[in-house]
Amino acid sequence: MSWGSYVLVGYDGSKESERALRWAAQEARLRRLPLTVCHAWRWPYPVSHIDYEGVAIVKRMAGHLLDHGVMLAERMAPTVKVRGRLGDGPAYGALLHEAEGAELIVVGSHEREDLAVGSTSLQLPARARRPVAVVRASGARRGEVVAGVDGSPGGDAALAFAYEEAALRGWRLRAVYGCREPAAVGGDLSVFEDLDRLRQLCGERLERSVAPWRVKYPYVETRTSLVVEPPREALFEAAREADLVVVGNRGAGGVAALHLGATSGALLQHAPCSVAVVPSEGAPGL
């Protein structure tokens, strides 16, 4: 089997990374791709305090941890070819280094109240050129993926990835458009004074965005939701009933200088379910 394309997952021995490992193993099985398990280690002291014998011990321990992750993945998905990759430095840097041929990068996430600003689950989606799934513990499985739609390239990329996930997993798909956003109507604020016109304009945009994917995936149960709320609020509400929310890295209101849009960043920090962030250039096409 070629390693030209693969699913990449970060593993550090925590329960969060084991959850991500399980998700990634299932993704690899469904996509019929091999799985790369990556662990990053680093010497925790300043360079002036390097103990070369100690470094060798730390690196050897990291290798044992990686071997354990590979073993777990092989148990979770016996038909999937699994390999390990040991990196050094920050975890997001090691994953980016290994991501060249990845179709998808998967990482775990701490609980929302424990998520630090510099965590891998925030840093990686901001820098990756591949879709990144941040796996979070959730309640009962509902069999639904939510896609944030806004007519932008980022929104189209999110919709493409969401349909692919729904098809692979046999889930329903809900396309959500939060239209109370100036960028959603081209900055024409006068539209907000006429809610019927706002609903018509954005509703047409939503249906145009979804139409080709309904044709490509006729067996995916699809519903659309036009919500007269900002995108962030609309998606947070939809996330309560979802297993996965998919968004572009920047939507219609994104600023090119920013790595992540406000909505995608907020969902990564506070969504009650797993979140996938998809860059425009990393999405599957029609």
Side-chain angles (χ1 to χ4, degrees):
M1 180 183 292
S2 170
W3 286 94
S5 295
Y6 49 88
V7 175
L8 174 64
V9 60
Y11 179 75
D12 64 6
S14 66
K15 64 178 182 180
E16 291 84 8
S17 70
E18 187 169 328
R19 190 181 301 126
L21 191 68
R22 187 173 302 280
W23 181 290
Q26 186 177 24
E27 283 284 339
R29 179 180 61 80
L30 292 171
R31 293 172 180 268
R32 299 182 180 180
L33 292 173
L35 175 65
T36 296
V37 181
C38 179
H39 174 65
W41 72 280
R42 56 178 165 176
W43 180 249
Y45 303 105
V47 175
S48 58
H49 291 78
I50 284 183
D51 175 342
Y52 291 100
E53 182 178 351
V55 168
I57 292 172
V58 172
K59 188 174 182 179
R60 187 164 59 249
M61 292 172 64
H64 293 329
L65 181 62
L66 176 62
D67 290 342
H68 181 69
V70 169
M71 180 192 67
L72 286 178
E74 290 173 338
R75 289 179 180 175
M76 293 170 180
T79 62
V80 172
K81 184 176 180 180
V82 183
R83 68 175 177 181
R85 282 290 183 266
L86 188 63
D88 58 7
Y92 73 83
L95 287 164
L96 288 174
H97 179 74
E98 296 292 338
E100 183 63 29
E103 284 197 9
L104 173 65
I105 308 170
V106 184
V107 293
S109 173
H110 295 291
E111 296 303 319
R112 289 169 282 170
E113 59 271 15
D114 297 328
L115 193 60
V117 173
S119 68
T120 302
S121 58
L122 293 178
Q123 295 292 325
L124 186 61
R127 291 167 168 78
R129 299 180 63 186
R130 300 288 188 270
V132 177
V134 177
V135 180
R136 180 170 286 144
S138 58
R141 296 297 179 189
R142 302 180 184 275
E144 181 167 283
V145 54
V146 167
V149 180
D150 60 8
S152 71
D156 292 342
L159 191 59
F161 182 85
Y163 260 102
E164 185 178 53
E165 279 294 297
L168 286 170
R169 293 176 176 269
W171 288 353
R172 303 180 305 277
L173 184 137
R174 181 181 176 190
V176 176
Y177 193 151
C179 63
R180 190 171 283 279
E181 164 69 47
V185 290
D188 183 3
L189 300 182
S190 66
V191 176
F192 292 109
E193 299 175 3
D194 186 342
L195 291 183
D196 289 338
R197 184 182 172 207
L198 177 65
R199 291 190 181 98
Q200 179 184 356
L201 289 174
C202 294
E204 290 173 353
R205 183 178 295 179
L206 172 58
E207 294 303 325
R208 281 198 305 270
S209 296
V210 172
W213 299 104
R214 288 187 190 269
V215 174
K216 183 174 182 178
Y217 296 102
Y219 45 87
V220 172
E221 180 183 340
T222 302
R223 61 175 172 148
T224 57
S225 297
L226 181 67
V227 184
V228 187
E229 295 288 348
R232 187 185 316 187
E233 282 72 7
L235 288 169
F236 271 119
E237 181 64 28
R240 295 179 182 177
E241 302 297 324
D243 296 288
L244 175 68
V245 174
V246 185
V247 290
N249 56 351
R250 286 191 299 272
V255 178
L258 299 179
H259 290 293
L260 282 177
T263 298
S264 52
L267 285 165
L268 285 170
Q269 288 185 286
H270 304 296
C273 65
S274 299
V275 177
V277 178
V278 185
S280 300
E281 64 271 23
L286 281 170

